Amino acid sequence: QVQLVESGGGLVRPGGSLRLSCAASGNIFSINTMGWHRQAPGNQRELVATISNVGSTKKADSVKGRFTISRDKNTVYLQMNSLKPEDTDIYYCLYATPYDLNWWGKGTLVTVSS
């Protein structure tokens, strides 16, 4: 069992910034990937950015140049700059292992609105 604690969501103006954090604890696997997916009502959950334990990253084209993924051991951070209204979503933390054994956070709401 892995526990994920998310923080950093909230309301921000267009062009503003937020920083999301997700800390994993419990039965930690040495090899893992952590990151963020997002989902708006009526849409599929989509990848935002992930980073593995050795620093390999994936990032959605829509956030390249604006969002930065990083991690410190089992805490992952998503620095979100130049936020747009289209970024408004519930953001879910992901903790994934090579064994098709994954955990999801409860989600944190990001709202970009003037």
Side-chain angles (χ1 to χ4, degrees), residues 84-113:
K84 306 174 181 179
E86 306 91 88
D87 296 316
T88 296
D89 273 315
I90 299 174
Y91 286 69
Y92 296 90
C93 181
L94 170 68
Y95 181 92
T97 76
Y99 316 105
D100 198 28
L101 183 61
N102 309 317
W103 287 266
W104 291 95
K106 295 185 295 293
T108 184
L109 178 62
V110 170
T111 302
V112 185
S113 180

Side-chain angles (χ1 to χ4, degrees), residues 30-67:
S30 298
I31 303 173
N32 64 76
T33 294
M34 297 186 68
W36 297 90
H37 292 228
R38 64 188 182 185
Q39 185 173 21
N43 291 344
Q44 294 276 97
R45 188 171 296 185
E46 65 176 358
L47 181 145
V48 178
T50 62
I51 182 168
S52 76
N53 60 289
V54 295
S56 300
T57 62
K58 295 181 181 179
K59 193 178 295 180
D61 289 342
S62 61
V63 306
K64 289 179 179 177
R66 300 190 297 124
F67 293 7

